[in-house]
Amino acid sequence: MAILMLGVMLLGFVLSIPIAVSIGLAGAIGLMTANTSLLILPKEMYTAIDKFPLAAIPFFILAGTIMERGGISLRLVNFAKSIIGGLQGGLAATCVLTCMMFAAVSGSSIATTFAIGAILIPALVRDGYPRPYAAALQASSAELGIIIPPSIPLILYGVSTEVSIGELFIGGIGPGIFVGTVMTIGVLIYARLKGFGKVAKEDRLSVTAAGWRALPALCLPVVILGGIYSGITTPTEASIVAVFAALLIGMFIYREISLPDLFPIFHKAVMSTVMIMIIISAAGLFSYLITRAGVPNAIGVYLRDTLSDPILFLLAVNVVLLFIGMFVETNSSILVLSPILVPVAISMGIDPVHFGLIMVVNLAMGMVTPPLGVNVYAACTVGNVAFEKVVPRLLPLLGLMFACLMVITYVPQITLTLRDLFYSR
Amino acid sequence: MQAALRYFFIFDKALNAVISVVAVLALAVAACLGFLQVLSRFALKIPLEWTEVTIRIALAWMVFVGAALVFRAGAMIAVDMMRHLLPTRFRRLHDGFVTLVVLIFLALLGYWGFDYANRSASQTLLGLDFISVYWAYIAIPIGCFCSAVAVIARFIEHDPVTDDDQELTLVH
Amino acid sequence: QTVWRINVSMPQDGHHGIAIDTFAEEVERLTEGRYVIETFYAGSLGGERESIEGVQLGTLELTFTSTGPVPNFVPELSILDIPFLFRDYEHARGVLDSEIGDELLGRFESHGIKGLAWADNGFRHMTNDIRPIESPEDLDGLKLRTMESPVHIAAYREFGILPTPMAFPEVFAALQQGVVDGQENPLSVIESNNFDEVQQYLSMTGHVFSPCVFLMNLDLWNGLSDEDQAHFVEAAQAGTAANRARVDEDEATAIETMRADGMEILEDIDRDAFVAALSEVNAQFAEEFGAEEVQAIRDWQPE
Ligand code: NA
Ligand code: NA
């Protein structure tokens, strides 16, 4: 059933049937051949989006749209340019760095894509980067959203394996900074190689002038972060605060949004949200059926029973997770696989916090790997670009991320140094 | 036939307008309730237990009904590689094929979605236990119906060959 | 050979996991392999509400769940949500295994669900980061993450608690940052979700007994032979026995572990003072659920 579903889905993709419909139809055909009630079709499609933490996606999309129309995005980009715009590829590096900062407030990669992508993809395009590259860059940078705490996958890992969530969060900082730094350097070198992001220096503002104009916009992350860290809002609710703060700045400080603009802004946010949520809905059904058929479970058990050497085990885990991540949603993979794999990892002397970060960094890549990479779809939506044009641009970035993953896997210190410092072992 | 088509497009236009308003309102209401939830808990020290569930329902309605807006604009994300490789004279045929597949899926989801809503009607909402989950789940078949109208209208109206260059400007 | 599925929302290694593992083994043994039960853990097939719905619709054959979302399906069963209804484990288990429990279990049937057996999730206790809770007055003004049960919420309000429902995956971060001051759950849930990492005080209020229940799709149940029906019930009862043994074991170790980790634990509270503080809302519950029925549960004594 799993193979048939996979085949139908890929055939749908090839035939240019909308992705959500391809996945949903694959699920329906899977149900029919397994002689199972088709009630699962609406039930799992509804369940997949009926989760409060997912509400952060529409709200961050709305906030992003408001920021774009309200002149906030432009001022932030001008400010970033005034600082590092002199560097070739500086704006691409800005994208990675902004995602790193935003990851500290957001627990979701898709929300990160929308919040940052709405600002930076148009800016990158304006500066001469190819649109598909801008979207690919945004999709892969947003991976940091679930590596750097707070992170929903890390919480789920902690709960299903009884590993301390506090330690996992601290453990996420090192790999997050590592991946972010490597990517920053990587995109700077890539820009030089490809001749992207050569910016004429005369249209840049001075740092003080750009900083002053961007000041209200710069307060936005402070308000969002402050709301979370002072316990006023949950990370999900922070997206709602972002909406109202952006509205306030756009309407009353920059005065670029007036009341009649609101309907089109909301309308645009609705369109972007629906495009992506309908895929999340269908992917939820697909994930459910694969899990129900016992596929991830069987793979996990196989890994557990066949490998006894820790180095090989970690390599196999990474390869297999990468494969599973291509088709199954991150959170369900963690729920199914971590209870099977973690006891084996511990018995081989691998620290469970380290193993958790390996799993999360790996499965975070899964959100960016085709064919089923929700984050790539999100970047396509926000960047107005075709999926198949983004994929080739994605490959060098995925290569870089895989190299980072290998380093994180075999150099546990990246994950554990901070943890050991904080929990004094 | 001509008259029927004209009425169909009047209906399509009206439906599209209504859905736009419903979906935008759903998002706006969700945002306002979320703000109220934070404000009430933090500033007034009165946590509200009905806001979260209401936000989830509003957003579900936005997604399932709003899907029709995206179908109508031809903006559902797809891998369009094969489509662009096809000779332009086959585009219309391909559009017809995709429309048919989408309609089959919408029929399946809509039929079973209606059944789902009806069979679950005795269940109440967690957090709003005086309301049946019917009112949440019924968004699925309603959304499928609206999407079916949108997909058909799009197919009849849309001329793929002339619109080729604009294909990527998805929304506005 | 028929293959059916059962799931829990908690990890395999725990009092939910052991219940379905034992159940699956026993079904297979008693029916001599004619029925095989596949087990799923940690909510990988969906949360508790979705699973009960699945059992009702027949998209999932069986589930083992706490009774948290049950009142949305069987409203009368919110009688079990009444705070301080049960004195201790002996009382709670005794009532659920008695004719009263059987009658309550039978109420699932008019909703397309067969209840096979009651089990334990455990007594719920309160944790918070503000102050140790010794008397009902200490609860005044505490922002507590609670379940969305109207019965719980009514009772907590009378204590002066500010009940704040919240999606479970968000609770840890919310406790850590202080969005809410505390939460209430059985000890094993508190420990396995690491809430002790972010909460200073635990008071063993035991304010609500939270049962679990084995549920099965009614049509499938009706399709079983009388003999197999007996096997399924027997297997569920074996699951319950394993579940209860695990609850007892976990409670004993959880207290020690969390205390060793630096949590301040108050084991003895003045139960009568808490009960007295709820007199008004208890009168309301008696009216809602039938004074006799509530009293029959309260007055139950072991023979
Ligand atoms: Na994060
Ligand atoms: Na993927």
Side-chain angles (χ1 to χ4, degrees):
Chain A
M1 175 171 127
I3 307 251
L4 175 76
M5 276 169 48
L6 218 63
V8 173
M9 180 180 88
L10 294 176
L11 185 68
F13 286 8
V14 169
L15 293 175
S16 305
I17 292 162
I19 285 170
V21 176
S22 304
I23 308 173
L25 211 53
I29 291 174
L31 286 170
M32 284 185 219
T33 52
N35 234 343
T36 313
S37 165
L38 272 137
L39 279 168
I40 291 181
L41 182 69
K43 176 165 156 55
E44 292 309 319
M45 282 189 72
Y46 191 93
T47 305
I49 59 164
D50 185 32
K51 301 187 164 75
F52 190 65
L54 275 185
I57 294 172
F59 293 137
F60 271 125
I61 292 174
L62 179 59
T65 315
I66 296 170
M67 286 161 78
E68 200 191 339
R69 293 282 177 93
I72 297 170
S73 310
L74 187 70
R75 286 171 179 82
L76 281 175
V77 171
N78 282 343
F79 180 58
K81 259 162 78 177
S82 73
I83 300 171
I84 52 153
L87 224 55
Q88 186 176 358
L91 199 59
T94 310
C95 178
V96 181
L97 290 175
T98 320
C99 283
M100 265 174 89
M101 287 188 266
F102 194 75
V105 289
S106 154
S108 137
S109 287
I110 298 169
T112 308
T113 299
F114 276 102
I116 308 299
I119 309 173
L120 273 160
I121 296 180
L124 285 163
V125 172
R126 224 176 293 136
D127 273 12
Y129 292 84
R131 193 175 275 277
Y133 177 72
L137 175 68
Q138 176 57 56
S140 31
S141 309
E143 174 197 33
L144 292 163
I146 58 170
I147 303 175
I148 295 175
S151 152
I152 291 174
L154 279 177
I155 291 180
L156 294 178
Y157 176 87
V159 170
S160 45
T161 59
E162 305 208 10
V163 173
S164 153
I165 295 162
E167 287 185 37
L168 286 165
F169 276 11
I170 297 269
I173 298 173
I177 293 176
F178 174 70
V179 173
T181 312
V182 171
M183 281 191 65
T184 306
I185 298 169
V187 299
L188 284 175
I189 296 174
Y190 193 74
R192 248 161 227 273
L193 290 178
K194 295 274 172 178
F196 295 162
K198 281 186 202 145
V199 188
K201 294 191 178 163
E202 52 268 30
D203 73 331
R204 279 169 58 209
L205 297 163
S206 72
V207 175
T208 41
W212 175 248
R213 287 185 206 178
L215 192 64
L218 286 170
C219 290
L220 209 55
V222 179
V223 170
I224 299 172
L225 259 173
I228 294 177
Y229 288 103
S230 58
I232 299 173
T233 68
T234 65
T236 306
E237 291 167 342
S239 61
I240 297 163
V241 175
V243 168
F244 284 88
L247 215 49
L248 205 73
I249 295 174
M251 289 182 82
F252 300 109
I253 299 182
Y254 293 155
R255 293 168 187 265
E256 290 185 20
I257 298 175
S258 56
L259 273 180
D261 296 333
L262 286 181
F263 190 85
I265 288 177
F266 272 74
H267 193 266
K268 182 164 189 227
V270 165
M271 298 288 274
S272 309
T273 305
V274 171
M275 279 182 227
I276 197 74
M277 295 286 276
I278 206 81
I279 296 180
I280 293 178
S281 165
L285 165 77
F286 193 84
S287 235
Y288 172 87
L289 292 175
I290 295 258
T291 309
R292 190 175 190 267
V295 175
N297 190 62
I299 294 177
V301 169
Y302 177 80
L303 274 185
R304 180 188 70 193
D305 296 346
T306 42
L307 293 159
S308 53
D309 175 61
I311 293 177
L312 273 181
F313 174 74
L314 285 178
L315 188 69
V317 163
N318 271 319
V319 171
V320 164
L321 286 182
L322 208 61
F323 178 74
I324 291 178
M326 284 166 75
F327 305 103
V328 184
E329 186 262 334
T330 308
N331 291 340
S332 22
S333 312
I334 288 191
L335 288 175
V336 175
L337 289 171
S338 58
I340 303 171
L341 297 179
V342 171
V344 190
I346 292 175
S347 74
M348 291 179 176
I350 302 163
D351 190 293
V353 171
H354 179 213
F355 193 72
L357 265 300
I358 294 174
M359 283 191 77
V360 169
V361 172
N362 189 316
L363 291 170
M365 275 181 77
M367 307 186 78
V368 199
T369 51
L372 226 171
V374 194
N375 221 352
V376 185
Y377 304 146
C380 290
T381 307
V382 70
N384 248 349
V385 53
F387 176 74
E388 67 273 16
K389 295 203 170 131
V390 176
V391 172
R393 296 292 190 175
L394 215 49
L395 296 178
L397 289 160
L398 282 171
L400 197 63
M401 275 152 56
F402 188 75
C404 288
L405 174 63
M406 284 295 113
V407 176
I408 291 168
T409 304
Y410 291 109
V411 187
Q413 287 83 358
I414 295 175
T415 310
L416 299 178
T417 306
L418 265 184
R419 195 279 308 263
D420 293 347
L421 210 68
F422 262 82
Y423 290 83
S424 56
R425 300 190 177 199
Chain B
M1 186 64 201
Q2 280 300 326
L5 211 58
R6 207 170 62 239
Y7 284 122
F8 175 72
F9 274 104
I10 293 172
F11 177 64
D12 161 66
K13 215 166 171 188
L15 190 65
N16 203 58
V18 172
I19 293 170
S20 295
V21 173
V22 168
V24 162
L25 267 180
L27 181 58
V29 165
C32 291
L33 286 179
F35 200 63
L36 182 69
Q37 174 175 313
V38 174
L39 209 68
S40 177
R41 184 185 62 227
F42 185 75
L44 307 176
K45 311 267 179 233
I46 310 169
L48 303 172
E49 68 271 6
W50 52 273
T51 42
E52 191 179 306
V53 54
T54 318
I55 291 170
R56 281 192 282 115
I57 294 169
L59 293 176
W61 271 86
M62 179 190 74
V63 170
F64 286 109
V65 177
L69 296 176
V70 183
F71 274 121
R72 189 69 183 84
M76 276 292 172
I77 303 174
V79 185
D80 278 331
M81 190 153 61
M82 194 204 76
R83 183 184 163 72
H84 289 137
L85 293 175
L86 274 181
T88 39
R89 62 202 150 93
F90 290 128
R91 290 265 173 96
R92 189 75 186 148
L93 199 66
H94 179 256
D95 277 354
F97 167 73
V98 171
T99 304
L100 197 69
V101 172
V102 171
L103 284 175
I104 291 172
F105 176 69
L106 289 173
L108 279 173
L109 182 62
Y111 175 81
W112 290 101
F114 189 60
D115 197 27
Y116 177 48
N118 281 318
R119 287 199 201 198
S120 309
S122 72
Q123 182 193 155
T124 57
L125 286 161
L126 212 58
L128 279 179
D129 66 338
F130 47 92
I131 297 178
S132 159
V133 293
Y134 180 84
W135 299 110
Y137 297 163
I138 200 69
I140 302 173
I142 292 179
C144 286
F145 172 75
C146 298
S147 294
V149 173
V151 168
I152 295 169
R154 164 96 187 161
F155 174 70
I156 299 173
E157 199 180 70
H158 181 68
D159 185 348
V161 184
T162 54
D163 285 2
D164 201 29
D165 286 340
Q166 288 140 25
E167 259 188 8
L168 282 182
T169 26
L170 296 177
V171 197
H172 290 265
Chain C
Q1 193 190 47
T2 310
V3 180
W4 284 349
R5 297 168 186 82
I6 190 165
N7 77 330
V8 287
S9 69
M10 308 256 282
Q12 178 171 18
D13 184 22
H15 61 295
H16 288 213
I18 200 169
I20 62 170
D21 284 349
T22 311
F23 173 76
E25 267 167 41
E26 285 299 300
V27 166
E28 199 167 339
R29 186 179 68 82
L30 292 166
T31 65
E32 286 153 349
R34 281 177 292 111
Y35 288 89
V36 174
I37 309 289
E38 281 181 4
T39 49
F40 293 83
Y41 314 93
S44 60
L45 281 195
E48 294 188 329
R49 190 202 64 81
E50 290 101 76
S51 303
I52 301 174
E53 184 181 271
V55 168
Q56 188 181 44
L57 297 172
T59 61
L60 178 68
E61 293 86 1
L62 294 136
T63 191
F64 179 84
T65 170
S66 85
T67 49
V70 161
N72 293 87
F73 296 84
V74 189
E76 315 94 88
L77 284 182
S78 48
I79 189 172
L80 292 169
D81 285 349
I82 297 177
F84 299 105
L85 184 64
F86 298 105
R87 296 181 295 275
D88 49 27
Y89 277 111
E90 189 188 27
H91 182 200
R93 290 168 181 174
V95 169
L96 292 175
D97 292 347
S98 73
E99 281 160 21
I100 304 176
D102 290 344
E103 192 274 324
L104 291 173
L105 208 51
R107 294 187 189 178
F108 280 101
E109 289 194 28
S110 56
H111 299 271
I113 302 170
K114 169 70 190 176
L116 294 174
W118 293 109
D120 290 11
N121 196 30
F123 274 96
R124 304 175 76 89
H125 304 292
M126 293 178 184
T127 70
N128 81 93
D129 222 18
I130 305 286
R131 55 182 170 255
I133 294 159
E134 291 169 31
S135 67
E137 293 77 46
D138 295 326
L139 293 170
D140 194 41
L142 277 188
K143 246 181 261 170
L144 219 60
R145 186 269 175 180
T146 62
M147 294 203 297
E148 282 159 322
S149 150
V151 171
H152 287 185
I153 289 174
Y156 298 160
R157 287 235 168 89
E158 183 150 4
F159 277 134
I161 291 173
L162 307 174
T164 315
M166 184 177 287
F168 198 70
E170 291 210 300
V171 176
F172 182 88
L175 292 170
Q176 190 176 37
Q177 305 303 341
V179 176
V180 287
D181 303 322
Q183 58 85 45
E184 45 86 51
N185 259 305
L187 287 178
S188 52
V189 178
I190 295 171
E191 202 207 352
S192 61
N193 287 283
N194 308 70
F195 291 156
D196 54 317
E197 276 185 42
V198 285
Q199 296 274 277
Q200 182 65 41
Y201 306 105
L202 164 66
S203 294
M204 307 263 296
T205 44
H207 52 283
V208 169
F209 176 75
S210 167
C212 280
V213 62
F214 280 95
L215 299 177
M216 179 173 180
N217 177 268
L218 188 63
D219 291 338
L220 291 179
W221 166 262
N222 289 334
L224 290 176
S225 67
D226 288 353
E227 192 192 1
D228 282 338
Q229 286 186 344
H231 290 330
F232 269 71
V233 169
E234 193 184 332
Q237 283 164 351
T240 296
N243 153 272
R244 285 176 177 167
R246 180 67 189 250
V247 167
D248 293 341
E249 192 186 314
D250 283 355
E251 297 235 322
T253 58
I255 295 176
E256 279 171 41
T257 319
M258 293 193 290
R259 187 169 273 151
D261 289 346
M263 201 180 203
E264 235 175 83
I265 302 177
L266 196 71
E267 285 190 65
D268 290 311
I269 61 144
D270 184 1
R271 194 172 179 275
D272 295 338
F274 282 84
V275 176
L278 287 183
S279 56
E280 232 170 82
V281 80
N282 269 330
Q284 182 192 315
F285 292 150
E287 195 176 321
E288 191 178 337
F289 298 110
E292 266 174 49
E293 198 168 334
V294 175
Q295 208 52 45
I297 296 178
R298 285 194 196 279
D299 291 347
W300 183 91
Q301 291 294 338
E303 274 141 38

